[in-house]
Amino acid sequence: MHLAIIINSIVSVIGAILGALVAAGSVVSIANMKVPWVGKLTVAAVLIPVIFLVSGLGAWLANEYGASEVAIGLIALPWGYGLCFGVFMLVSLRK
């Protein structure tokens, strides 16, 4: 489990940096949309790097306190969030 936490930490740092770039690009794209949920999309885009940071730090803390199941969930969190955000953006682009 310790190796997974270390790998997740590296991925979380890279994901937070790249997530900030994706968020900036998404916000520009979202600004041109004419859908009623533009505000929710903007908040969801800005939360991308935050989710990666929560995953990295949270997995370390959960593992430290012996909550392996929570650590595994936190490792999976940014990938599930990214998938949901991607689907949400695709649906919004079709409108």
Side-chain angles (χ1 to χ4, degrees):
M1 183 69 173
H2 191 65
L3 181 60
I5 299 293
I6 292 171
I7 292 170
N8 182 58
S9 298
I10 295 167
V11 170
S12 292
V13 169
I14 294 169
I17 294 167
L18 294 178
L21 295 173
V22 168
S26 295
V27 168
V28 170
S29 176
I30 292 167
N32 296 322
M33 290 183 183
K34 303 285 189 229
V35 293
W37 54 86
V38 169
K40 292 178 183 175
L41 269 175
T42 304
V43 170
V46 171
L47 286 177
I48 292 172
V50 174
I51 294 295
F52 273 101
L53 291 175
V54 166
S55 171
L57 295 173
W60 273 104
L61 289 172
N63 190 47
E64 182 69 27
Y65 290 110
S68 298
E69 297 83 11
V70 175
I72 292 169
L74 284 166
I75 290 171
L77 177 68
W79 308 109
Y81 185 84
L83 178 68
C84 292
F85 178 74
V87 169
F88 199 37
M89 281 291 288
L90 289 174
V91 168
S92 298
L93 290 172
R94 293 194 77 211
K95 299 267 178 185

